[in-house]
Amino acid sequence: MEHPSAEEAFATLLGESAVPLLKEHGFRKRKLTFTRERDGLVDVINLQRSAGNSHEAIRFYVNCGVYSAEFDRVIGRTPQQRPAEVDCQYRRRIENIATGIGPHVTVHADIDVPAVAEQLRAALTSALAVMGQLGGPDDVAHSVGSDIDFDVLRYRLATGDESGAREQYRGALSRFGAEDRWPRLEEQFRRAADSYGVAVIDSERG
């Protein structure tokens, strides 16, 4: 019996894992991106095919994101009507928020589709549980995890979270203060804080 092609195996894998699971959870599919609206947020799952795929094998990554239109409004950005994964304020690769899956999935023509489909369904279920813990723009801001995300800094300043803004500055200083780029980063902190009339830089540092 002739094996299906890698493309056919890939389509079968999605048809037995991501597509029915995400549809069950209220997602809509557009090409390889799935979106779901809930409580003012948009959850996004994107299957990113590798640029180096061949006829024999298809490698893909699973990107997860949560988008808040209110977050964008607060920082003065026009909200996205159809946010893509790159528009999300919260962004993670699935292996960082789910167990039992590596940084990518590689599909060969002779892949064990049922076994990989089960693995992918389990990882997606775990990822959705993590994403579902975010209930609004404050949760999104607190979960971003980067001290040099200046959109998060602006959100904190705009919502009056001065202690959070100062904590973010101190975290960035601790991690990046010895790097050559630090003066440029510190100037970005200074400019953002000045625009809201708040001092976040330690006075002894000037």
Side-chain angles (χ1 to χ4, degrees):
M1 180 177 178
E2 185 178 349
H3 285 299
S5 67
E7 283 287 354
E8 290 170 328
F10 176 69
T12 301
L13 173 63
L14 298 191
E16 295 185 9
S17 58
V19 173
L21 175 70
L22 295 175
K23 182 178 180 180
E24 178 185 336
H25 283 81
F27 283 79
R28 294 182 177 181
K29 180 177 180 293
R30 187 176 185 183
K31 295 183 179 180
L32 293 179
T33 297
F34 303 78
T35 58
R36 173 182 68 180
E37 296 183 11
R38 60 173 179 90
D39 301 327
L41 300 176
V42 179
D43 295 324
V44 181
I45 301 290
N46 166 254
L47 307 182
Q48 177 189 346
R49 290 173 56 130
S50 171
N53 286 331
S54 66
H55 178 74
E56 291 78 19
I58 295 172
R59 173 176 292 182
F60 69 94
Y61 308 85
V62 183
N63 304 311
C64 306
V66 179
Y67 174 79
S68 166
E70 181 60 22
F71 183 107
D72 273 357
R73 289 191 193 95
V74 166
I75 66 172
R77 179 180 294 149
T78 302
Q80 297 291 322
Q81 296 300 314
R82 291 183 176 179
E85 185 268 337
V86 295
D87 299 313
C88 294
Q89 296 92 0
Y90 173 91
R91 300 172 66 192
R92 296 288 189 279
R93 280 276 174 85
I94 194 170
E95 70 271 15
N96 295 319
I97 58 174
T99 59
I101 191 168
H104 55 76
V105 179
T106 301
V107 180
H108 300 276
D110 58 353
I111 191 175
D112 184 346
V113 169
V116 178
E118 181 178 357
Q119 178 189 44
L120 187 55
R121 283 195 303 267
L124 284 168
T125 300
S126 296
L128 293 179
V130 173
M131 294 161 64
Q133 293 175 6
L134 305 181
D138 287 350
D139 289 346
V140 170
H142 293 152
S143 67
V144 167
S146 171
D147 289 321
I148 54 174
D149 188 315
F150 291 97
D151 284 344
V152 171
L153 178 68
R154 294 182 188 94
Y155 180 86
R156 287 172 168 153
L157 292 168
T159 56
D161 183 11
E162 296 182 16
S163 63
R166 293 190 181 97
E167 182 180 351
Q168 182 176 341
Y169 166 77
R170 288 191 291 268
L173 174 62
S174 175
R175 289 175 175 81
F176 308 108
E179 296 185 7
D180 290 342
R181 62 173 173 163
W182 175 249
R184 296 192 300 275
L185 293 174
E186 187 169 60
E187 181 59 24
Q188 287 183 265
F189 275 98
R190 189 188 306 276
R191 288 200 304 269
D194 286 350
S195 67
Y196 289 93
V198 178
V200 299
I201 297 176
D202 297 333
S203 58
E204 60 267 25
R205 290 185 57 83

